[in-house]
Amino acid sequence: MPEETGGVENRARIEERLHHDWGLELPESIFRFWEFHESLEPEERRGMRDDLWLSTAGIMDLFADPGARPRDGIDVRVHWRFYRDPPEFVTFMLGGSDGLHYGLRFDDGRTCNGVASYYNNDGGGLDTGAATPLEAVRAYLERVWVDLDDPHYGEGASEKQARLARLRDRLTAYETGDRPEVGRDYGDRYHPAVIPPVDPSRITTLDNAGALVAGETALDRPAHNGADEYKFAEYMHGLFQDAEALEESVADARSRCAAGDPAEALVLGRDLHWASGGDPVREARAHELLVMAYRALDRPALAEIADAHHRHRDLPSVDVLRKEHT
């Protein structure tokens, strides 16, 4: 049966499990998220589940049961790993529609540098605007609050707002308590609709998250947030449709990586992974380039995750843990 949660000993087991099986170091923010989630009263929990449609998943299943094991023959690192998830993305929460899910980001292959989310079944890239899991929940809560404020929303708005107000009070006892704004004012203050600043530490990728790497690329790609997204995506998808040009690009990335510059292998691998679309050639080339790049960058945990994901990208379900263990 699943073991009881809580306590320093259980936290140590969770940290050891993630370090042993994923090779990653969990941030303090994920433990605050878990404490918050476990502290919810019934009405607050209903607000989280029924009004926000948010639920824990992925690595949070190990918080409930640190000894849980995957079904036979399946690598645990693909638990709740969606088809397009980059290796740096580790799921901890699900949304309510179109494959929305949230993941911790481990861009250096060891430590967490923030949160990302995206709709696996819809268009659009990774949203990297939240620094912590609770900040992600707060931002989503305030977006829903805006909808409930609409006079045309219909019945039930006041009941939902009452639950979400309680949920907000609970959340701000853990994080974002210094942000008194709600609804639209919150979004305007902390997530304004402006062009994000260029990040020179990262290079442009199709998934809109950028790759943490320095070096030369075949297209002399600009820094993250420095490209015309439409033109860049149009060019890359055109390249992927040209089998000969794609093979030449992959060969060039291999050569650059072998010569000591893994930047092109990483960004092209990430692009191919994001845009694989079920094509076995793209999947294979993405796998090859990503593993090559991560090993050259001394990010072995990401190389192993990329390898595990490649072996299991066709699973009919991303929930791979057994319900009980012995």
Side-chain angles (χ1 to χ4, degrees):
M1 295 294 293
E3 302 164 8
E4 293 182 0
T5 63
V8 175
E9 181 179 353
N10 204 56
R11 171 170 173 160
R13 293 190 63 214
I14 294 165
E15 290 179 314
E16 173 57 27
R17 181 74 190 278
L18 266 291
H19 178 72
H20 181 271
D21 285 358
W22 275 259
L24 305 172
E25 297 178 9
L26 287 173
E28 188 64 33
S29 63
I30 198 68
F31 291 99
R32 283 196 301 276
F33 171 73
W34 179 245
E35 290 171 12
F36 155 78
H37 186 268
E38 293 302 287
S39 76
L40 296 178
E41 298 292 339
E43 279 298 285
E44 298 160 356
R45 193 170 296 278
R46 185 180 171 192
M48 183 87 166
R49 180 194 64 228
D50 298 342
D51 302 323
L52 298 185
W53 291 5
L54 296 178
S55 60
T56 59
I59 58 170
M60 303 314 298
D61 293 335
L62 299 178
F63 279 60
D65 181 7
R69 298 293 168 184
R71 299 192 300 274
D72 290 344
I74 301 178
D75 194 301
V76 71
R77 288 168 292 195
V78 301
H79 182 52
W80 283 106
R81 175 164 292 280
F82 287 74
Y83 182 82
R84 293 192 294 163
D85 288 1
E88 293 87 348
F89 185 108
V90 179
T91 299
F92 69 86
M93 184 169 69
L94 304 180
S97 64
D98 294 321
L100 174 61
H101 59 300
Y102 294 76
L104 299 178
R105 298 167 61 203
F106 292 89
D107 284 331
D108 69 358
R110 183 173 61 85
T111 56
C112 177
N113 63 306
V115 168
S117 63
Y118 77 100
Y119 294 84
N120 187 66
N121 305 334
D122 204 352
L126 292 164
D127 179 350
T128 58
T132 70
L134 285 177
E135 187 178 316
V137 174
R138 177 75 192 277
Y140 194 75
L141 186 156
E142 302 303 347
R143 289 200 296 272
V144 172
W145 192 272
V146 172
D147 293 336
L148 295 173
D149 260 345
D150 188 327
H152 299 101
Y153 182 84
E155 292 185 25
S158 59
E159 280 186 33
K160 291 183 179 183
Q161 283 192 321
R163 285 192 293 268
L164 292 184
R166 290 185 56 172
L167 183 63
R168 182 194 291 120
D169 287 344
R170 178 73 66 173
L171 189 156
T172 54
Y174 288 87
E175 278 188 30
T176 70
D178 59 342
R179 301 179 178 185
E181 300 85 358
V182 301
R184 193 175 305 280
D185 290 341
Y186 184 94
D188 290 345
R189 175 73 184 275
Y190 303 106
H191 299 281
V194 298
I195 298 174
V198 172
D199 182 351
S201 70
R202 314 173 73 80
I203 296 177
T204 292
T205 54
L206 269 181
D207 59 20
N208 291 349
L212 184 65
V213 67
E216 300 295 327
T217 61
L219 298 177
D220 193 22
R221 298 188 190 207
H224 178 48
N225 295 327
D228 181 316
E229 292 183 8
Y230 178 81
K231 288 183 179 179
F232 174 67
E234 185 177 45
Y235 176 85
M236 294 306 298
H237 285 290
L239 172 67
F240 297 160
Q241 295 296 325
D242 185 332
E244 184 177 349
L246 174 59
E247 290 304 315
E248 290 176 358
S249 296
V250 170
D252 178 57
R254 286 194 203 104
S255 177
R256 289 170 183 263
C257 192
D261 186 352
E264 178 66 15
L266 180 58
V267 297
L268 183 58
R270 281 273 296 274
D271 290 349
L272 282 165
H273 181 85
W274 183 256
S276 288
D279 182 89
V281 173
R282 294 184 202 174
E283 290 177 353
R285 297 297 179 263
H287 170 237
E288 175 192 357
L289 293 179
L290 287 175
V291 170
M292 178 187 302
Y294 293 136
R295 287 176 177 163
L297 290 163
D298 192 25
R299 300 174 189 173
L302 297 182
E304 293 298 322
I305 291 171
D307 188 59
H309 196 186
H310 179 66
R311 288 184 279 112
H312 296 300
R313 283 190 89 176
D314 60 350
L315 287 177
S317 171
V318 293
D319 184 357
V320 306
L321 289 184
R322 296 190 182 105
K323 299 308 177 184
E324 297 181 357
H325 76 279
T326 57

